[in-house]
Amino acid sequence: MTAHTLTTFRYDADSGKFVKKTTQRSLGLNEVKVRVTHSGICYTDVHAKEKACGLGHEGVGLITDLGANVTSMKIGDRVGWGWLRSSCGNCPVCVDGYRQYCSQASGFAFCDHDQGAFADSHIIDASFAYHIPAEIPSWQAGVFMCAGASTYEALDAAGTKPHHRVGIVGLGGLGHMAVLFAKAMGCAITVFSGSEGMAESKARDAFQLGADEFRALNNIDTPVRPDSNTDRTDNASKSLIDVLLICANETPDLEKILPLLARRATIVLMSIQQKPLVIPYMPFILPGHRIIASTEASRQNHLAMIQFAARHKISPWIERFPMTEDGLKNAFERLESGEMRYRGVLEMPE
């Protein structure tokens, strides 16, 4: 069996630099080898830095080799992949299509520590790779593999309909994708942001992305609309939120937000946090609200999402960096400082 050489960037904590690591890996029967051209950068990559693993999980590239059992793809196909890398395939959630919730599911930084999408090549099980429609350029495609898939899945899990108003807490990498998808679905949108000293610029970006209303978390009772600084004749019945996506780094004070929800609203938790979730009991129970969790996308929704994005010509807001040591350094600095607008993409130099 031929061993393939893969070169991947990882973070070296001792030197504080991004360095290349070369490993050898054989191609499995159900796997494909992809020559990487682009990769998105996600805050999960920040969390993974200290693991000294191969970084990157929003990869895009061209297939250069196939395992013997792969029939759904061919050499030269353009594909992408996201966080999830494997699952058992046999348990009830896998059979139902929600393999991201499999007890044996493994994702980026938890399965093959030597591999990442910040690399010259990548080997992955073909069932966890996705064809990229021709309408989506490669420098945008990586963003859909994680941020796009996650927000589309969350909207689907909540049963979002075109007549719903969607609330989005946090206008960052995830949040801006949620705005783009919800707008394309025909929904009205309220964006909540807690960025200190950035309310004006966040509001401006939210409206440009397609939001109908903006509320700063520190001044939540004063909605801002695109055509005025404040809406002094706000009719609350027009603004009640049916679906609330928590896309911020942590869950906000729900006591402030619950009065803005419609009856039987759905709150979708997407934040990665260690703090306990605090819920005001009676204001949550009496209107019949529900809370659900949503992480990675099912394969069905991953495929539906990428076709939806192509059909509606959804264009993420992206900053582009070369996939080099300096490029990674600059991209991570922008991301960790909160200055990225709104997703970073690394491009392999030609």
Side-chain angles (χ1 to χ4, degrees):
M1 187 175 292
T2 303
H4 296 264
T5 301
L6 309 174
T7 301
T8 306
F9 277 103
R10 62 181 180 86
Y11 181 73
D12 181 68
D14 292 334
S15 65
K17 295 181 178 181
F18 294 93
V19 298
K20 290 183 178 180
K21 182 179 179 180
T22 299
T23 58
Q24 298 286 319
R25 196 179 188 284
S26 298
L27 186 66
L29 295 175
N30 299 309
E31 293 181 324
V32 295
K33 181 182 179 183
V34 184
R35 178 175 64 81
V36 179
T37 61
H38 298 78
S39 177
I41 177 173
C42 171
Y43 216 88
T44 304
D45 296 310
V46 175
H47 296 314
K49 269 199 329 182
E50 303 303 324
K51 292 181 178 290
C53 62
L55 294 170
H57 63 281
E58 293 185 340
V60 175
L62 304 174
I63 293 177
T64 58
D65 206 351
L66 304 168
N69 291 347
V70 177
T71 58
S72 60
M73 297 176 176
K74 64 183 185 301
I75 291 175
D77 281 357
R78 189 172 60 128
V79 299
W81 66 94
W83 183 89
L84 191 63
R85 298 295 303 274
S86 66
S87 70
C88 78
N90 300 310
C91 68
V93 292
C94 282
V95 172
D96 284 345
Y98 294 95
R99 56 193 186 179
Q100 69 269 38
Y101 301 122
C102 173
S103 62
Q104 298 180 43
S106 292
F108 157 72
F110 294 97
C111 49
D112 186 337
H113 279 214
D114 289 332
Q115 277 208 100
F118 304 164
D120 58 355
S121 294
H122 192 85
I123 291 176
I124 189 168
D125 188 304
S127 63
F128 291 87
Y130 309 94
H131 286 103
I132 305 297
E135 295 87 346
I136 299 178
S138 292
W139 63 271
Q140 291 186 354
V143 175
F144 292 106
M145 296 298 104
C146 179
S150 298
T151 50
Y152 186 93
E153 175 78 22
L155 290 165
D156 179 76
T160 307
K161 300 293 189 296
H163 65 274
H164 284 159
R165 175 175 286 271
V166 175
I168 297 164
V169 180
L171 190 65
L174 277 180
H176 104 285
M177 291 301 298
V179 174
L180 292 171
F181 275 121
K183 193 67 178 180
M185 291 176 180
C187 301
I189 299 164
T190 296
V191 168
F192 298 86
S193 178
S195 299
E196 292 295 330
M198 297 180 63
E200 185 175 340
S201 63
K202 287 287 186 177
R204 186 167 54 249
D205 287 351
F207 297 141
Q208 191 171 342
L209 286 161
D212 303 280
E213 182 179 80
F214 178 88
R215 293 176 184 257
L217 289 173
N218 61 1
N219 190 23
I220 201 167
D221 294 327
T222 305
V224 178
R225 300 280 169 77
D227 55 354
S228 64
N229 291 327
T230 60
D231 186 349
R232 302 184 186 280
T233 60
D234 179 56
N235 182 343
S237 65
K238 296 180 181 179
S239 302
L240 295 181
I241 292 162
D242 303 284
V243 175
L244 182 71
L245 268 58
I246 309 295
C247 301
N249 289 333
E250 62 179 46
T251 305
D253 182 357
L254 291 178
E255 189 169 6
K256 295 180 178 179
I257 296 180
L258 289 182
L260 300 175
L261 302 188
R263 312 297 281 187
R264 302 185 70 225
T266 300
I267 301 171
V268 188
L269 302 178
M270 301 183 67
S271 301
I272 303 298
Q273 67 178 49
Q274 299 300 321
K275 294 181 180 179
L277 178 65
V278 178
I279 304 170
Y281 188 80
M282 295 305 289
F284 177 80
I285 294 295
L286 290 179
H289 299 323
R290 64 173 181 149
I291 288 181
I292 62 174
S294 185
T295 57
E296 256 271 352
S298 65
R299 179 169 178 81
Q300 178 179 345
N301 271 341
H302 211 126
L303 295 169
M305 174 277 304
I306 199 70
Q307 293 297 330
F308 183 90
R311 185 165 60 253
H312 290 274
K313 297 180 172 58
I314 293 175
S315 297
W317 288 17
I318 288 172
E319 294 186 21
R320 300 162 76 171
F321 304 85
M323 199 181 294
T324 61
E325 181 181 325
D326 287 341
L328 265 74
K329 179 177 180 292
N330 293 336
F332 271 81
E333 286 177 353
R334 294 278 296 169
L335 181 61
E336 294 181 64
S337 67
E339 297 176 352
M340 189 79 78
R341 297 179 70 248
Y342 275 94
R343 296 295 286 194
V345 170
L346 296 156
E347 303 177 294
M348 185 64 71
E350 296 183 0

